[in-house]
Amino acid sequence: MNLDLLISNITNPAFLFFVLGVLAVKLRSDLEIPANSSKFIALYLLFSIGFKGGQELSHEAFSLEILWSMLFGMAISLLIPVYTFFILKRRMSIYNATAIAAAYGSVSAVTFVTAVAYLDVQKLPLHGHMVAIMALMESPAIIAGLILLSLFNKEKTANTTPKMEVIRHSFTNGSVLLILGSLIIGLLANAKQAEGIKPFTNDIFKGFLAIFLLDMGITSGRKLSSFVSNGWFPLLFAIFIPLFNGCAVAVLSALVTQDVANQFMFAVLAASASYIAVPAAMKIAVPAADPGLYLPMALAVTFPMNITIGMPLYLYITQLMAG
């Protein structure tokens, strides 16, 4: 693997702001991003990536490759929670196994956004249909997790919520709705109309990303202590399972696309873990699951691992596959 790529990611300002957030908590600083500002920045990032993806998609001709890519993405999102659920339930409660499996089967929009910025640094294009695929991969993992819970839960208690309500929530979740809506608007807008908001969607993107990752670092730092008390297994899972998923999909994605950027994005999506959509759904569906476990796994371990070690590794594999 090219050492320069790894160093480039570690010294990336966005990642360093994430580290600063963690350090701020450890130093007991009063540094924090106001909740309303944090929510606005998250919405902005989703809007920007969705709109830009729609604009890219408007220049693409729908093809069999795009159709197969969409089916491949949804298949990943269904299969990952199934195999991880059976690993997790050997060492954890059925509720925690469900929530963690769903989180790792679903995708992280922020990791996707960071990967888009990484592609830009590598001078590789983002294809608009990958934004649509990311949005399509949010919900299947939640549904798969709930099906597994209903099949294997021997305690038929009030720890679950009606399944249809959670399935509805997984499709109408704000992050999914915004990115899909922005994608469609970007698809419908012509180039001249889109040019008017380009300074907002493009020029300030990386600055907002850096501030958002600062906030993510602060959030992660606050949850680390409760996570550590759960022992070594969650830590190892949060490192090695995403790496395995990302490397495997970097290879398997060659079955549906020969484009290096697409293969890389598939690997990133498979390796990422949701800490927005899935926690929101699990709070409704499986309140017995411990957010002090699955949130730090996704946010404090898997996320920084992906943007330091993971992305250079997945890109190296996809470039190696391309010859």
Side-chain angles (χ1 to χ4, degrees):
M1 182 173 60
N2 192 330
L3 186 61
D4 290 340
L5 289 179
L6 179 59
I7 294 171
S8 174
N9 252 16
I10 292 174
T11 57
N12 184 295
F15 174 70
L16 293 177
F17 272 104
F18 178 86
V19 174
L20 177 62
V22 176
L23 286 174
V25 174
K26 296 305 169 189
L27 296 172
R28 299 183 180 180
S29 168
D30 61 356
L31 174 64
E32 65 176 324
I33 308 298
N36 287 340
S37 300
S38 176
K39 186 173 183 180
F40 167 76
I41 295 170
L43 291 173
Y44 162 77
L45 293 173
L46 294 171
F47 152 75
S48 177
I49 198 67
F51 187 84
K52 287 189 290 186
Q55 281 285 288
E56 291 294 328
L57 194 56
S58 69
H59 302 135
E60 292 185 35
F62 191 81
S63 65
L64 199 58
E65 179 182 319
I66 291 177
L67 176 62
W68 279 115
S69 293
M70 288 179 172
L71 293 173
F72 180 71
M74 288 189 286
I76 294 169
S77 188
L78 283 169
L79 291 173
I80 289 176
V82 173
Y83 97 83
T84 53
F85 175 80
F86 288 103
I87 294 172
L88 290 159
K89 79 182 187 74
R90 296 170 65 91
R91 305 193 67 99
M92 305 185 169
S93 74
I94 195 84
Y95 306 113
N96 284 334
T98 298
I100 296 169
Y104 280 83
S106 188
V107 296
S108 160
V110 177
T111 307
F112 182 88
V113 168
T114 311
V116 171
Y118 185 66
L119 274 182
D120 186 54
V121 171
Q122 302 303 318
K123 305 292 190 250
L124 291 169
L126 170 70
H127 299 284
H129 67 272
M130 290 307 301
V131 181
I133 289 169
M134 185 206 71
L136 289 171
M137 288 175 68
E138 286 268 19
S139 298
I142 298 171
I143 296 166
L146 294 175
I147 292 170
L148 289 166
L149 177 63
S150 65
L151 289 174
F152 291 93
N153 183 17
K154 296 175 183 177
E155 303 173 30
K156 305 296 181 183
T157 65
N159 280 313
T160 56
T161 293
K163 304 297 184 289
M164 289 309 298
E165 169 61 20
V166 179
I167 292 171
R168 184 198 66 78
H169 184 272
S170 71
F171 283 106
T172 59
N173 178 273
S175 61
V176 178
L177 196 61
L178 178 60
I179 200 160
L180 273 177
S182 300
L183 179 80
I184 293 167
I185 293 168
L187 180 62
L188 295 176
N190 63 43
K192 186 176 181 181
Q193 292 167 330
E195 192 70 27
I197 60 170
K198 191 174 180 180
F200 184 67
T201 56
N202 291 44
D203 297 348
I204 61 173
F205 180 83
K206 290 182 181 178
F208 270 122
L209 176 62
I211 298 299
F212 186 73
L213 291 185
L214 171 65
D215 187 45
M216 291 291 98
I218 293 170
T219 304
S220 298
R222 287 172 179 164
K223 294 181 180 295
L224 276 177
S225 56
S226 62
F227 167 69
V228 170
S229 66
N230 283 285
W232 58 267
F233 176 74
L235 176 64
L236 294 182
F237 181 97
I239 294 172
F240 291 107
I241 292 296
L243 280 174
F244 171 78
N245 291 340
C247 293
V249 170
V251 174
L252 292 174
S253 59
L255 296 172
V256 295
T257 177
Q258 296 302 309
D259 186 273
V260 169
N262 287 345
Q263 291 175 326
F264 169 76
M265 293 308 295
F266 268 124
V268 170
L269 289 170
S272 69
S274 171
Y275 44 82
I276 299 174
V278 170
M282 290 300 114
K283 187 175 181 179
I284 298 171
V286 195
D290 180 13
L293 183 60
Y294 59 80
L295 264 177
M297 285 177 71
L299 185 54
V301 182
T302 299
F303 175 65
M305 181 279 296
N306 269 325
I307 62 176
T308 52
I309 300 169
M311 288 184 193
L313 177 60
Y314 311 144
L315 184 61
Y316 173 76
I317 292 171
T318 54
Q319 290 174 329
L320 196 65
M321 293 286 293

